[in-house]
């Protein structure tokens, strides 16, 4: 079964995707990509299909200098795959933004996590110092894990490594692959391994102590759960730019969902600005720590939001994550793995979305059919 399931109420139509971060950002990325293509000399250490040795790889650098929470979390399947293929290796990471160190803290194989400023170009001295730090080391393998990222291309080209792997080496045949799966497929391709095995899910590797704190926080917010307490649904009603759904949409959606699904204990996860977007209609929970937030979501058991970084955080737990998609492509960004799913909300009608979400929640609540003896 595919780890990504999408539901739509009409014919399958691929809408025109709009730039979510403005035309200026799009032009900056294109200019940086042009410079990367024309200024960087051809790399002699690039590996092709089956050219990466399965032994002797001890020091690895993974480059994904992106500050967004979701893009950072999408690296965790690659780390799991590296653990499987090179169990004695140590992995350094080049990332960006404040969340990276917390996200990767659960992986024993991670050595150093070097982070760039989210606007690295505006801080050239700090950026150059970070890259020099990496250049002073010698690696067996450097992985440029972001397809089409000029900053990742520059960083991986500067590092001294025996072998270099670029995820976009697969771009010709994997344009529709989920972004969590692309680096894993690229590594298998370089090792000459079949790519049809299941890709590891996102994984934050919460500790038992973190999970216990998450359960305690949920009990504190909602009160102790009795034996027949209704299920909990954690909602994060926020997202970036055009992905954000209006408070009125959420108000209609939650009322219809409770009416259709039955009793639910809904809790609103509050974004960084500290403002409720559901008008205080439900209990709220706020934390600036992504691991605490993940533990709270896992304790809730079910999560719902538009496409955003917190959605990928929920997908990295054992909770069931449901993502609502309108302006982004679920084939690339859906909550990956396990029982997670993507639901279309392009028609703008919360009532039609309720039917699809409720159907998924009911399927998850139903016990699996028993199979008879063969």
């Amino acid at each position: 079964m595919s780890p990504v399931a999408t539901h739509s109420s009409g014919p399958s139509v691929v809408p025109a995707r709009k730039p979510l971060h403005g035309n200026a950002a799009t032009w900056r990325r294109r200019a940086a990509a042009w410079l990367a293509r024309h200024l960087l000399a051809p790399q002699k250490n690039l590996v092709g299909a089956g050219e990466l040795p399965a032994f002797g790889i001890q020091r690895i650098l993974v480059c994904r200098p992106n500050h967004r929470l979701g893009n950072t979390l999408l690296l965790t399947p690659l780390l799991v795959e590296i653990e499987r293929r090179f169990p004695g290796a140590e992995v350094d990471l080049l990332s960006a933004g404040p969340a990276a160190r917390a996200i990767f803290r659960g992986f024993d194989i991670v050595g150093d996590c070097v982070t760039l400023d989210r606007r690295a170009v505006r801080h050239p001295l700090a950026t150059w110092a970070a890259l020099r730090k990496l250049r002073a080391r010698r690696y067996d393998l450097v992985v440029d894990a972001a397809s089409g990222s000029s900053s990742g291309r520059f960083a991986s080209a500067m590092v001294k490594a025996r072998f270099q792997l670029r995820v976009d080496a697969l771009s010709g045949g994997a344009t529709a692959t989920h972004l969590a799966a692309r680096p894993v497929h690229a590594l298998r391709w370089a090792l000459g391994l079949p790519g049809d095995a299941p890709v590891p899910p996102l994984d934050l590797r919460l500790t038992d102590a973190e999970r216990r704190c998450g359960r305690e926080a949920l009990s504190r917010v909602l009160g102790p759960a009795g034996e027949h307490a209704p299920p909990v649904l954690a909602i994060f009603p926020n997202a970036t730019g055009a992905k954000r759904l209006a408070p009125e949409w959420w108000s209609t959606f939650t009322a219809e969902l409770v009416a259709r699904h039955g009793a639910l204990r809904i809790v609103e996860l509050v974004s960084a600005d500290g403002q409720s977007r559901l008008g205080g209609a439900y209990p709220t929970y706020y934390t600036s720590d992504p691991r605490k937030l993940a533990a709270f979501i896992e304790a809730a058991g079910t999560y719902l939001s538009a496409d955003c970084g917190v959605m990928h955080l929920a997908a990295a737990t054992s909770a069931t994550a449901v993502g609502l998609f309108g302006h982004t492509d679920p084939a690339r960004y859906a909550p990956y793995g396990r029982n997670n799913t993507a639901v279309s909300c392009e028609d703008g009608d919360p009532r039609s979305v309720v039917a699809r979400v409720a159907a998924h929640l009911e399927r998850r609540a139903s016990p699996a059919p028993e199979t008879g003896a063969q």
Side-chain angles (χ1 to χ4, degrees):
M1 180 188 298
S2 169
V4 178
T6 58
H7 302 276
S8 180
S9 61
S12 178
V13 178
V14 179
R17 304 288 173 184
K18 300 178 182 179
L20 293 176
H21 308 295
N23 291 322
T26 300
W27 281 109
R28 283 197 300 270
R29 286 194 294 269
R30 290 177 179 175
W34 186 92
L35 289 172
R37 288 196 303 271
H38 290 82
L39 295 183
L40 292 177
Q43 302 295 298
K44 297 180 180 179
N45 61 350
L46 287 173
V47 295
E51 294 180 352
L52 182 64
F55 302 97
I57 304 296
Q58 308 296 342
R59 300 203 65 189
I60 301 172
L61 174 66
V62 174
C63 294
R64 186 68 167 96
N66 188 288
H67 72 279
R68 297 192 176 278
L69 176 64
N71 288 331
T72 303
L73 285 156
L74 291 175
L75 272 185
T76 59
L78 175 62
L79 293 182
V80 175
E81 187 74 10
I82 289 174
E83 273 186 333
R84 294 175 179 176
R85 305 303 173 187
F86 307 109
E90 182 178 76
V91 180
D92 289 346
L93 291 152
L94 176 63
S95 187
R101 296 181 188 276
I103 295 303
F104 301 123
R105 194 167 66 218
F107 287 87
D108 291 338
I109 63 168
V110 171
D112 194 6
C113 183
V114 178
T115 57
L116 302 179
D117 189 272
R118 61 176 296 180
R119 294 181 176 86
V121 176
R122 300 184 184 180
H123 303 273
L125 295 180
T127 301
W128 178 245
L131 295 178
R132 282 192 63 189
K133 178 180 179 181
L134 295 176
R135 185 169 172 77
R137 304 169 182 174
R138 290 188 177 274
Y139 293 97
D140 297 305
L141 172 65
V142 56
V143 181
D144 177 7
S147 179
S149 168
S150 54
S151 54
R153 177 74 60 86
F154 276 115
S156 58
M158 289 184 61
V159 171
K160 298 174 183 177
R162 292 165 54 208
F163 302 103
Q164 180 182 164
L165 172 62
R166 290 179 182 166
V167 170
D168 60 9
L170 295 180
S171 61
T175 54
T177 303
H178 195 284
L179 294 189
R182 283 186 180 182
V184 175
H185 285 306
L187 181 60
R188 293 174 180 173
W189 170 80
L191 287 167
L193 299 171
D196 54 356
V199 171
L202 275 63
D203 192 357
L204 200 60
R205 299 206 169 167
L206 295 171
T207 65
D208 291 341
E210 288 173 325
R211 290 188 170 94
R212 183 175 62 255
C213 288
R215 292 191 297 268
E216 292 172 353
L218 183 68
S219 178
R220 186 172 65 247
V221 171
L222 295 182
E227 182 179 354
H228 302 291
V232 177
L233 174 63
I235 292 180
F236 183 68
N238 195 24
T240 303
K243 296 184 290 184
R244 184 184 298 124
L245 297 166
E248 296 78 16
W249 190 99
W250 281 109
S251 178
T252 301
F253 174 87
T254 51
E256 291 286 334
L257 182 63
V258 170
R260 181 183 179 100
H261 187 271
L264 281 173
R265 292 192 294 164
I266 295 176
V267 57
E268 179 188 357
L269 306 177
V270 178
S271 59
D273 61 10
Q275 301 298 313
S276 168
R277 284 171 171 76
L278 299 182
Y282 301 98
T284 58
Y285 177 73
Y286 170 78
T287 177
S288 59
D289 186 330
R291 298 188 71 87
K292 288 183 179 179
L293 181 57
F296 186 90
I297 292 171
E298 182 165 288
T302 308
Y303 168 90
L304 175 72
S305 76
D307 174 22
C308 63
V310 181
M311 178 196 73
H312 294 297
L313 189 73
T317 73
S318 64
T320 295
V322 179
L324 307 178
F325 280 74
H327 289 269
T328 47
D329 184 2
R332 291 161 55 91
Y333 298 107
Y336 195 80
R338 299 186 179 91
N339 301 316
N340 306 320
T341 192
V343 172
S344 171
C345 63
E346 289 174 327
D347 57 13
D349 181 6
R351 295 172 181 84
S352 64
V353 178
V354 164
R356 292 168 232 152
V357 172
H360 183 72
L361 297 182
E362 288 163 5
R363 283 196 300 272
R364 296 310 317 149
S366 300
E370 295 184 3
T371 56
Q374 300 297 319

